[in-house]
Coordinates of all heavy atoms in Angstrom, one line a residue:
M30 N 95.7 102.4 82.5 CA 96.3 102.8 81.3 C 96.2 101.6 80.3 O 96.5 100.5 80.7 CB 97.8 103.1 81.5 CG 98.5 103.5 80.2 SD 100.3 103.8 80.4 CE 100.5 105.0 81.7
T31 N 95.8 101.9 79.1 CA 95.7 100.8 78.2 C 97.0 100.4 77.6 O 98.0 101.2 77.7 CB 94.7 101.2 77.0 OG1 95.3 102.3 76.3 CG2 93.4 101.6 77.6
A32 N 97.1 99.3 76.9 CA 98.3 98.9 76.3 C 98.8 99.8 75.2 O 99.9 100.0 74.9 CB 98.2 97.4 75.8
K33 N 97.8 100.3 74.5 CA 98.1 101.3 73.4 C 98.8 102.5 73.9 O 99.8 102.9 73.3 CB 96.8 101.6 72.6 CG 96.9 102.5 71.4 CD 95.6 102.7 70.8 CE 95.8 103.6 69.6 NZ 94.5 103.9 68.9
K34 N 98.2 103.1 75.0 CA 98.9 104.3 75.5 C 100.3 103.9 76.1 O 101.2 104.7 76.0 CB 98.0 104.9 76.6 CG 96.8 105.6 76.1 CD 96.0 106.2 77.3 CE 94.8 106.8 76.8 NZ 94.0 107.4 77.9
H35 N 100.4 102.8 76.7 CA 101.7 102.4 77.3 C 102.7 102.2 76.2 O 103.8 102.7 76.3 CB 101.5 101.0 78.0 CG 102.7 100.6 78.7 ND1 103.6 99.7 78.2 CD2 103.3 100.9 79.9 CE1 104.6 99.5 79.0 NE2 104.4 100.2 80.1
N36 N 102.4 101.6 75.1 CA 103.3 101.4 74.0 C 103.7 102.7 73.4 O 104.8 102.9 73.0 CB 102.7 100.5 72.9 CG 102.8 99.0 73.4 OD1 103.5 98.6 74.2 ND2 101.9 98.2 72.8
K37 N 102.8 103.6 73.3 CA 103.1 105.0 72.7 C 104.0 105.7 73.6 O 105.0 106.3 73.1 CB 101.8 105.8 72.6 CG 102.0 107.1 71.9 CD 100.6 107.8 71.6 CE 100.9 109.1 70.9 NZ 99.6 109.8 70.6
L38 N 103.8 105.6 74.9 CA 104.7 106.3 75.9 C 106.1 105.7 75.8 O 107.1 106.4 75.9 CB 104.2 106.2 77.3 CG 103.0 107.2 77.6 CD1 102.5 106.9 79.0 CD2 103.4 108.6 77.4
I39 N 106.2 104.4 75.7 CA 107.5 103.7 75.7 C 108.2 104.1 74.4 O 109.4 104.4 74.4 CB 107.3 102.2 75.7 CG1 106.8 101.7 77.1 CG2 108.6 101.4 75.3 CD1 107.8 101.9 78.2
G40 N 107.5 104.2 73.3 CA 108.1 104.6 72.0 C 108.6 106.0 72.1 O 109.7 106.3 71.6
I41 N 107.9 106.9 72.7 CA 108.3 108.3 72.8 C 109.5 108.4 73.7 O 110.5 109.1 73.4 CB 107.1 109.2 73.4 CG1 106.1 109.3 72.3 CG2 107.6 110.6 73.8 CD1 104.8 110.0 72.8
F42 N 109.5 107.6 74.8 CA 110.7 107.6 75.7 C 111.9 107.1 75.0 O 113.0 107.7 75.1 CB 110.4 106.7 76.9 CG 111.6 106.5 77.7 CD1 112.1 107.5 78.6 CD2 112.3 105.3 77.7 CE1 113.3 107.3 79.3 CE2 113.5 105.1 78.4 CZ 114.0 106.1 79.2
L43 N 111.8 106.0 74.2 CA 113.0 105.5 73.5 C 113.5 106.4 72.5 O 114.7 106.6 72.3 CB 112.6 104.1 72.9 CG 112.4 103.0 73.9 CD1 111.9 101.7 73.1 CD2 113.7 102.7 74.6
M44 N 112.6 107.1 71.8 CA 113.0 108.1 70.8 C 113.7 109.3 71.5 O 114.8 109.7 71.0 CB 111.8 108.6 70.0 CG 112.2 109.5 68.8 SD 110.8 110.1 67.9 CE 110.1 111.2 69.0
A45 N 113.2 109.8 72.6 CA 113.8 110.9 73.3 C 115.2 110.4 73.8 O 116.2 111.2 73.8 CB 112.9 111.4 74.4
H46 N 115.3 109.2 74.4 CA 116.5 108.8 74.9 C 117.6 108.6 73.9 O 118.7 109.0 74.0 CB 116.3 107.4 75.6 CG 117.5 106.9 76.2 ND1 118.3 105.9 75.6 CD2 118.2 107.1 77.4 CE1 119.3 105.6 76.3 NE2 119.3 106.3 77.4
G47 N 117.2 108.0 72.7 CA 118.2 107.9 71.6 C 118.6 109.2 71.1 O 119.8 109.4 70.8
T48 N 117.7 110.1 71.0 CA 118.0 111.5 70.4 C 119.0 112.2 71.4 O 120.0 112.8 71.0 CB 116.8 112.3 70.2 OG1 115.9 111.6 69.3 CG2 117.1 113.7 69.6
L49 N 118.7 112.1 72.7 CA 119.5 112.8 73.7 C 120.9 112.2 73.7 O 121.9 112.9 73.7 CB 118.9 112.7 75.1 CG 119.7 113.3 76.2 CD1 119.8 114.9 76.0 CD2 119.0 113.1 77.5
Q50 N 121.0 110.9 73.6 CA 122.3 110.2 73.6 C 123.1 110.6 72.3 O 124.3 110.9 72.4 CB 122.1 108.7 73.6 CG 123.4 107.9 73.6 CD 123.2 106.4 73.6 OE1 122.0 106.0 73.5 NE2 124.2 105.7 73.8
A51 N 122.4 110.7 71.2 CA 123.1 111.1 70.0 C 123.6 112.5 70.0 O 124.7 112.8 69.6 CB 122.2 110.9 68.8
V52 N 122.8 113.4 70.6 CA 123.2 114.8 70.7 C 124.4 114.9 71.7 O 125.4 115.6 71.4 CB 122.0 115.7 71.3 CG1 122.5 117.0 71.7 CG2 121.0 115.8 70.2
I53 N 124.4 114.2 72.8 CA 125.6 114.2 73.7 C 126.8 113.7 73.0 O 127.9 114.3 73.1 CB 125.3 113.4 75.0 CG1 124.2 114.2 75.8 CG2 126.5 113.2 75.8 CD1 123.6 113.4 76.9
M54 N 126.7 112.6 72.3 CA 127.9 112.1 71.6 C 128.4 113.0 70.5 O 129.6 113.1 70.2 CB 127.5 110.7 71.0 CG 127.4 109.6 72.0 SD 128.8 109.4 73.1 CE 130.1 108.9 72.0
T55 N 127.4 113.7 69.8 CA 127.9 114.7 68.8 C 128.7 115.8 69.4 O 129.8 116.1 68.9 CB 126.6 115.3 68.2 OG1 125.9 114.3 67.6 CG2 127.0 116.3 67.1
F56 N 128.3 116.3 70.6 CA 129.1 117.3 71.2 C 130.4 116.8 71.7 O 131.5 117.5 71.6 CB 128.3 118.0 72.4 CG 127.3 118.9 71.9 CD1 125.9 118.7 72.3 CD2 127.5 120.0 71.2 CE1 124.9 119.6 71.9 CE2 126.6 120.9 70.7 CZ 125.2 120.6 71.1
V57 N 130.5 115.6 72.2 CA 131.8 115.0 72.6 C 132.7 114.9 71.4 O 133.9 115.2 71.5 CB 131.5 113.6 73.3 CG1 132.8 112.9 73.5 CG2 130.8 113.8 74.6
W58 N 132.2 114.4 70.3 CA 133.1 114.2 69.1 C 133.5 115.5 68.6 O 134.6 115.7 68.1 CB 132.4 113.4 68.1 CG 132.5 111.9 68.3 CD1 133.4 111.3 69.0 CD2 131.6 110.9 67.9 NE1 133.2 109.9 69.1 CE2 132.1 109.7 68.4 CE3 130.4 110.9 67.1 CZ2 131.4 108.5 68.1 CZ3 129.8 109.7 66.9 CH2 130.3 108.5 67.4
L59 N 132.6 116.5 68.6 CA 133.0 117.9 68.1 C 134.1 118.5 69.0 O 135.0 119.1 68.5 CB 131.8 118.8 68.0 CG 130.8 118.5 66.9 CD1 129.6 119.4 67.0 CD2 131.5 118.7 65.6
I60 N 134.0 118.3 70.3 CA 135.0 118.8 71.2 C 136.4 118.2 70.9 O 137.4 118.8 70.9 CB 134.6 118.6 72.7 CG1 133.4 119.5 73.0 CG2 135.8 118.9 73.6 CD1 132.8 119.3 74.3
Y61 N 136.4 116.9 70.7 CA 137.6 116.1 70.5 C 138.1 116.1 69.0 O 139.0 115.4 68.7 CB 137.5 114.7 71.0 CG 137.5 114.7 72.5 CD1 136.3 114.4 73.2 CD2 138.6 115.1 73.3 CE1 136.3 114.4 74.6 CE2 138.5 115.1 74.7 CZ 137.4 114.8 75.3 OH 137.3 114.8 76.7
G62 N 137.5 116.9 68.1 CA 138.0 117.0 66.8 C 137.4 116.1 65.7 O 137.8 116.2 64.6
G63 N 136.4 115.3 66.0 CA 135.8 114.5 65.0 C 134.6 115.2 64.3 O 133.5 114.8 64.5
V64 N 135.0 116.2 63.5 CA 133.9 117.0 62.9 C 133.1 116.1 61.9 O 131.8 116.2 61.9 CB 134.5 118.2 62.1 CG1 133.5 119.0 61.4 CG2 135.3 119.1 63.1
G65 N 133.7 115.3 61.2 CA 133.0 114.4 60.2 C 132.0 113.5 60.9 O 130.9 113.4 60.6
A66 N 132.5 112.9 62.0 CA 131.7 112.0 62.8 C 130.5 112.7 63.4 O 129.4 112.3 63.5 CB 132.5 111.2 63.8
G67 N 130.8 113.9 64.0 CA 129.8 114.7 64.6 C 128.7 115.1 63.6 O 127.5 115.1 63.9
L68 N 129.1 115.5 62.4 CA 128.1 115.9 61.4 C 127.3 114.7 61.0 O 126.1 114.9 60.8 CB 128.9 116.5 60.2 CG 129.3 118.0 60.3 CD1 130.2 118.4 59.2 CD2 128.1 118.9 60.4
M69 N 127.9 113.6 60.8 CA 127.1 112.4 60.4 C 126.1 112.0 61.5 O 124.9 111.8 61.2 CB 128.0 111.2 60.2 CG 128.6 111.2 58.8 SD 129.3 109.6 58.5 CE 131.0 110.1 58.0
L70 N 126.6 112.0 62.7 CA 125.7 111.6 63.8 C 124.6 112.7 64.1 O 123.4 112.3 64.2 CB 126.4 111.4 65.1 CG 125.7 110.9 66.3 CD1 125.0 109.6 66.0 CD2 126.6 110.7 67.5
G71 N 125.0 113.9 64.1 CA 124.0 115.0 64.3 C 123.0 115.1 63.1 O 121.8 115.3 63.3
G72 N 123.5 114.9 61.9 CA 122.6 114.9 60.7 C 121.6 113.8 60.7 O 120.5 114.0 60.4
S73 N 122.1 112.6 61.0 CA 121.2 111.5 61.0 C 120.2 111.6 62.1 O 119.0 111.2 62.0 CB 122.0 110.1 61.1 OG 122.7 110.1 62.3
T74 N 120.6 112.1 63.3 CA 119.7 112.4 64.4 C 118.6 113.4 64.0 O 117.4 113.2 64.2 CB 120.4 112.8 65.6 OG1 121.4 111.9 66.0 CG2 119.5 113.1 66.8
L75 N 119.0 114.5 63.4 CA 118.1 115.5 63.0 C 117.1 115.0 61.9 O 115.9 115.2 62.0 CB 118.8 116.8 62.5 CG 118.0 117.9 62.0 CD1 117.2 118.5 63.2 CD2 118.9 119.0 61.4
F76 N 117.7 114.3 61.0 CA 116.8 113.7 59.9 C 115.8 112.8 60.4 O 114.6 112.9 60.2 CB 117.8 113.0 58.9 CG 117.0 112.5 57.7 CD1 116.8 113.3 56.6 CD2 116.7 111.1 57.6 CE1 116.1 112.8 55.5 CE2 116.0 110.6 56.5 CZ 115.8 111.5 55.4
A77 N 116.2 111.8 61.3 CA 115.3 110.8 61.8 C 114.3 111.4 62.8 O 113.1 111.1 62.8 CB 116.0 109.7 62.4
A78 N 114.8 112.3 63.6 CA 113.9 112.9 64.7 C 112.8 113.7 64.1 O 111.7 113.7 64.6 CB 114.8 113.7 65.6
T79 N 113.1 114.5 63.0 CA 112.0 115.3 62.4 C 111.0 114.4 61.7 O 109.8 114.7 61.8 CB 112.6 116.3 61.4 OG1 113.4 115.6 60.4 CG2 113.4 117.4 62.1
L80 N 111.4 113.3 61.1 CA 110.5 112.4 60.5 C 109.6 111.7 61.5 O 108.4 111.6 61.4 CB 111.2 111.4 59.6 CG 111.9 111.9 58.3 CD1 112.6 110.8 57.6 CD2 110.8 112.6 57.4
Y81 N 110.3 111.2 62.6 CA 109.5 110.6 63.7 C 108.5 111.6 64.3 O 107.4 111.2 64.6 CB 110.4 110.1 64.8 CG 111.0 108.7 64.5 CD1 112.4 108.5 64.5 CD2 110.2 107.6 64.2 CE1 113.0 107.3 64.2 CE2 110.8 106.4 63.9 CZ 112.1 106.2 63.9 OH 112.7 105.0 63.6
A82 N 109.0 112.8 64.5 CA 108.1 113.8 65.1 C 106.9 114.1 64.3 O 105.7 114.2 64.8 CB 108.9 115.1 65.4
M83 N 107.1 114.2 63.0 CA 106.0 114.4 62.1 C 105.0 113.2 62.0 O 103.8 113.4 61.9 CB 106.4 114.8 60.6 CG 107.0 116.1 60.6 SD 107.4 116.8 58.9 CE 107.7 115.3 57.9
A84 N 105.6 112.0 62.1 CA 104.7 110.8 62.2 C 103.9 110.8 63.4 O 102.8 110.2 63.4 CB 105.6 109.6 62.1
L85 N 104.4 111.4 64.5 CA 103.6 111.4 65.8 C 102.7 112.6 65.9 O 102.1 112.8 66.9 CB 104.6 111.4 67.0 CG 105.4 110.1 67.1 CD1 106.4 110.2 68.2 CD2 104.4 109.0 67.5
G86 N 102.7 113.4 64.9 CA 101.7 114.5 64.9 C 102.3 115.9 64.9 O 101.5 116.9 65.2
A87 N 103.6 116.1 64.8 CA 104.2 117.4 64.8 C 103.7 118.2 63.6 O 103.3 117.6 62.6 CB 105.7 117.3 64.8
P88 N 103.8 119.5 63.6 CA 103.4 120.3 62.4 C 104.2 120.0 61.1 O 105.4 119.5 61.2 CB 103.7 121.8 62.8 CG 104.1 121.7 64.2 CD 104.3 120.4 64.6
H89 N 103.6 120.1 60.0 CA 104.2 119.8 58.7 C 105.3 120.7 58.3 O 106.2 120.3 57.5 CB 103.1 119.7 57.6 CG 102.2 118.6 57.7 ND1 102.6 117.3 57.6 CD2 100.9 118.5 58.0 CE1 101.6 116.5 57.8 NE2 100.5 117.2 58.1
W90 N 105.4 121.9 58.9 CA 106.5 122.7 58.5 C 107.9 122.2 59.0 O 108.9 122.5 58.6 CB 106.4 124.2 59.1 CG 106.3 124.2 60.6 CD1 105.1 124.3 61.4 CD2 107.4 124.2 61.5 NE1 105.5 124.3 62.7 CE2 106.8 124.3 62.8 CE3 108.8 124.2 61.4 CZ2 107.6 124.3 64.0 CZ3 109.5 124.2 62.5 CH2 109.0 124.3 63.8
L91 N 107.8 121.2 59.9 CA 109.0 120.6 60.4 C 109.7 119.8 59.3 O 110.9 119.5 59.3 CB 108.7 119.6 61.6 CG 109.8 119.2 62.5 CD1 110.5 120.4 63.1 CD2 109.2 118.4 63.6
G92 N 108.9 119.4 58.3 CA 109.5 118.7 57.1 C 110.5 119.6 56.4 O 111.3 119.0 55.7
A93 N 110.4 120.9 56.5 CA 111.4 121.7 55.9 C 112.8 121.7 56.6 O 113.8 122.0 56.0 CB 110.9 123.2 55.9
V94 N 112.8 121.2 57.8 CA 114.0 121.0 58.6 C 114.8 119.7 58.2 O 116.0 119.6 58.3 CB 113.8 121.1 60.1 CG1 115.0 120.9 60.9 CG2 113.1 122.4 60.4
T95 N 114.0 118.7 57.8 CA 114.5 117.4 57.5 C 115.7 117.4 56.5 O 116.7 116.7 56.8 CB 113.4 116.5 57.0 OG1 112.4 116.5 58.0 CG2 113.9 115.1 56.8
P96 N 115.7 118.1 55.4 CA 116.8 118.1 54.5 C 118.1 118.7 55.1 O 119.2 118.4 54.6 CB 116.3 119.0 53.3 CG 114.9 119.0 53.4 CD 114.5 118.9 54.8
L97 N 118.0 119.5 56.1 CA 119.2 120.0 56.8 C 120.0 118.8 57.4 O 121.2 118.8 57.4 CB 118.9 121.0 57.9 CG 118.2 122.3 57.4 CD1 117.8 123.2 58.5 CD2 119.1 123.0 56.4
G98 N 119.2 117.8 57.9 CA 119.9 116.7 58.5 C 120.6 115.9 57.4 O 121.7 115.4 57.6
G99 N 120.0 115.7 56.2 CA 120.6 115.1 55.1 C 121.8 115.8 54.6 O 122.9 115.2 54.3
A100 N 121.7 117.1 54.6 CA 122.9 117.9 54.2 C 124.1 117.8 55.2 O 125.2 117.7 54.8 CB 122.5 119.4 54.0
A101 N 123.7 117.7 56.4 CA 124.8 117.5 57.4 C 125.4 116.1 57.3 O 126.7 116.0 57.4 CB 124.2 117.7 58.9
M102 N 124.7 115.1 56.9 CA 125.3 113.8 56.7 C 126.2 113.8 55.5 O 127.3 113.3 55.5 CB 124.2 112.7 56.5 CG 123.5 112.4 57.8 SD 122.4 110.9 57.6 CE 121.0 111.6 56.8
I103 N 125.8 114.5 54.4 CA 126.6 114.6 53.3 C 127.9 115.4 53.6 O 129.0 115.0 53.2 CB 125.9 115.3 52.1 CG1 124.8 114.4 51.6 CG2 126.8 115.7 51.0 CD1 123.8 115.0 50.6
A104 N 127.8 116.5 54.4 CA 129.0 117.2 54.8 C 129.9 116.3 55.7 O 131.1 116.4 55.6 CB 128.5 118.5 55.6
G105 N 129.3 115.5 56.5 CA 130.1 114.6 57.3 C 130.9 113.6 56.4 O 132.1 113.4 56.7
W106 N 130.3 113.1 55.4 CA 131.1 112.2 54.4 C 132.2 113.0 53.7 O 133.3 112.5 53.5 CB 130.1 111.6 53.4 CG 129.4 110.4 53.9 CD1 128.1 110.3 54.2 CD2 129.9 109.2 54.2 NE1 127.8 109.1 54.7 CE2 128.9 108.4 54.7 CE3 131.2 108.6 54.2 CZ2 129.1 107.0 55.1 CZ3 131.4 107.3 54.6 CH2 130.3 106.5 55.0
C107 N 131.9 114.3 53.4 CA 132.9 115.1 52.8 C 134.1 115.3 53.7 O 135.3 115.3 53.3 CB 132.4 116.4 52.3 SG 131.2 116.2 50.9
F108 N 133.8 115.7 55.0 CA 134.9 115.8 56.0 C 135.7 114.5 56.1 O 136.9 114.6 56.3 CB 134.3 116.3 57.3 CG 134.2 117.8 57.5 CD1 133.0 118.4 57.2 CD2 135.3 118.5 57.9 CE1 132.9 119.8 57.3 CE2 135.2 119.9 58.0 CZ 134.0 120.5 57.7
L109 N 135.0 113.4 56.1 CA 135.7 112.1 56.3 C 136.6 111.9 55.1 O 137.8 111.5 55.3 CB 134.6 111.0 56.4 CG 135.2 109.6 56.6 CD1 135.9 109.5 57.9 CD2 134.1 108.6 56.4
A110 N 136.2 112.2 53.9 CA 137.0 112.0 52.7 C 138.2 112.9 52.7 O 139.3 112.5 52.4 CB 136.2 112.2 51.5
C111 N 138.0 114.2 53.1 CA 139.1 115.2 53.2 C 140.1 114.8 54.3 O 141.3 115.0 54.1 CB 138.5 116.6 53.4 SG 137.6 117.2 52.0
S112 N 139.6 114.3 55.4 CA 140.5 114.0 56.5 C 141.4 112.7 56.1 O 142.5 112.6 56.5 CB 139.8 113.7 57.8 OG 139.0 112.5 57.7
Y113 N 140.8 111.8 55.4 CA 141.6 110.7 54.9 C 142.6 111.1 53.9 O 143.8 110.6 53.9 CB 140.7 109.6 54.3 CG 141.4 108.4 53.8 CD1 141.9 107.4 54.7 CD2 141.7 108.2 52.4 CE1 142.6 106.3 54.2 CE2 142.4 107.1 52.0 CZ 142.8 106.2 52.9 OH 143.6 105.1 52.4
D114 N 142.2 112.0 53.0 CA 143.2 112.5 52.0 C 144.3 113.3 52.6 O 145.4 113.3 52.2 CB 142.4 113.3 51.0 CG 143.3 113.7 49.8 OD1 144.1 112.8 49.3 OD2 143.2 114.8 49.2
A115 N 144.0 114.0 53.7 CA 145.0 114.9 54.3 C 146.0 114.1 55.2 O 147.1 114.6 55.5 CB 144.3 115.9 55.2
R116 N 145.6 112.8 55.6 CA 146.5 112.1 56.3 C 147.8 111.7 55.6 O 148.9 111.6 56.1 CB 145.9 110.8 56.8 CG 145.0 111.0 58.0 CD 144.5 109.7 58.6 NE 144.7 108.5 57.7 CZ 144.1 107.4 58.0 NH1 143.4 107.2 59.0 NH2 144.3 106.3 57.2
G117 N 147.6 111.5 54.3 CA 148.8 111.2 53.4 C 149.4 109.9 53.7 O 150.6 109.8 53.8
D118 N 148.6 108.8 53.8 CA 149.2 107.5 54.0 C 149.8 107.0 52.7 O 149.2 106.5 51.8 CB 148.1 106.5 54.3 CG 147.6 106.7 55.8 OD1 148.4 107.3 56.5 OD2 146.5 106.3 56.1
K119 N 151.1 107.2 52.6 CA 151.8 106.8 51.4 C 152.9 105.8 51.8 O 153.9 106.1 52.4 CB 152.5 108.0 50.7 CG 151.5 109.0 50.2 CD 152.2 110.1 49.5 CE 151.1 111.0 48.9 NZ 150.9 112.2 49.6
N120 N 152.6 104.5 51.4 CA 153.6 103.5 51.8 C 154.5 103.2 50.7 O 154.3 103.1 49.6 CB 152.8 102.2 52.2 CG 152.0 102.4 53.5 OD1 152.5 103.2 54.3 ND2 150.9 101.8 53.6

């Protein structure tokens, strides 16, 4: 195996491992009520994973899925802002 192939396999493994870890953490946070955090993590994972996949040769129609990740990140920020406002920290 050449160094080029080895580095490509290591990169694919690291991307798959990071994506799997992010997906697992997203489900854990969603179960325990962290909707905003789950949306942010899931959105950033979807956004980055589709871009990485297209860079590695995935079909170009996958680029139509990328904005869904961005929209999920924006929704996560909105949930975060609403949850802070709903806490009602008034000193």
